[in-house]
Amino acid sequence: MAQDKLNVSCELIDLVTILPWDRETVVKSVNKTGRLLIAHEAPLTGGFGAEIAATIQKECFLHLEAPIQRVAGHDTAFAHVYEPFYLPDKWRCLEAIKHLVNY
């Protein structure tokens, strides 16, 4: 979708586990692209994406061309009927990619 709408290509890394997480692959990708978008279903505050962001900020700071973006669940309780509005979707991710590319 980013290719079609923004004419950019993205590397997608799907972490199979969060402990241990594939730090080396993520670091190599960030060093190559200069950008990082973290998307996960947990709330923004206290989610594992914060650990990834902190690690990448520490190890790849001089390679980053834009601030790390996180797309996550909202920091609020929600009824399951509203789950489609709570979870990150392709539109929220696309908006974050726009910010990364246009920084």
Side-chain angles (χ1 to χ4, degrees):
M1 189 160 142
Q3 179 72 40
D4 297 336
K5 300 216 181 268
L6 303 174
N7 198 31
V8 296
S9 63
C10 299
E11 288 188 2
L12 175 65
I13 301 168
D14 185 5
L15 296 178
V16 178
T17 63
I18 59 172
L19 281 175
W21 61 282
D22 193 355
R23 195 155 125 183
E24 183 180 333
T25 299
V26 177
V27 166
K28 284 181 183 177
S29 178
V30 172
N31 286 338
K32 176 182 167 189
T33 64
R35 293 171 171 82
L36 176 63
L37 168 64
I38 302 166
H40 62 85
E41 295 178 0
L44 183 66
T45 303
F48 189 74
E51 177 63 28
I52 295 171
T55 300
I56 296 304
Q57 181 70 18
K58 180 181 175 187
E59 294 189 18
C60 304
F61 181 73
L62 296 177
H63 295 279
L64 287 170
E65 295 181 22
I68 297 168
Q69 295 288 308
R70 292 189 294 156
V71 179
H74 300 290
D75 286 337
T76 184
F78 69 98
H80 287 294
V81 69
Y82 297 114
E83 191 171 273
F85 303 106
Y86 172 85
L87 297 175
D89 60 10
K90 63 183 178 182
W91 302 110
R92 287 175 57 199
C93 288
L94 183 65
E95 192 62 32
I97 292 169
K98 281 183 196 176
H99 283 101
L100 282 171
V101 170
N102 294 322
Y103 181 79

